Amino acid sequence: MFVFAGLAPVWFEEHEDRYVLRLVAMSMTFDRAVYVATPISKEDLEGAIRLFASGGFCGFTGWFWSRRMGRFRCFASDLEAPLLRIHRPGEERGGVVVNG
């Protein structure tokens, strides 16, 4: 449980050159020259199976799998809020899902 508490999302920012995801215990940075952020809907996550994840207590954090998205990481505190998928251009599956 402590692992997921440390992975709980705090905030997400878009800068000119990078995306920054701040978690309780660490920050993740994605270079905009390498990654893009695409809006997705809650329906894109329907049917996702938790591989190693928390399903609501500390937000939706961890590794998930679904037929539509493949294997992906999710750091979202509210699935009703706008969601972004951060991924490499051309990748149709996978990536990191965050509240945007």
Side-chain angles (χ1 to χ4, degrees):
M1 179 151 138
F2 291 112
V3 171
F4 295 114
L7 295 176
V10 178
W11 50 258
F12 175 76
E13 286 185 338
E14 293 185 47
H15 296 273
E16 281 184 18
D17 60 340
R18 67 190 183 285
Y19 302 107
V20 179
L21 174 62
R22 175 70 179 133
L23 307 174
V24 170
M26 62 186 250
S27 290
M28 297 174 72
T29 304
F30 303 92
D31 186 359
R32 286 185 95 154
V34 178
Y35 295 95
V36 295
T38 307
I40 63 170
S41 67
K42 179 182 174 184
E43 289 76 30
D44 291 328
L45 302 179
E46 284 184 357
I49 297 169
R50 285 183 277 172
L51 300 176
F52 183 73
S54 170
F57 181 70
C58 297
F60 294 86
T61 58
W63 289 263
F64 292 81
W65 178 88
S66 73
R67 286 187 181 178
R68 183 179 295 173
M69 300 253 318
R71 189 179 64 201
F72 63 95
R73 291 182 293 170
C74 185
F75 300 100
S77 57
D78 181 8
L79 294 183
E80 299 300 325
L83 297 167
L84 291 173
R85 181 173 75 98
I86 301 171
H87 59 95
R88 293 178 187 270
E91 283 185 348
E92 303 213 6
R93 298 165 54 100
V96 178
V97 175
V98 299
N99 284 115

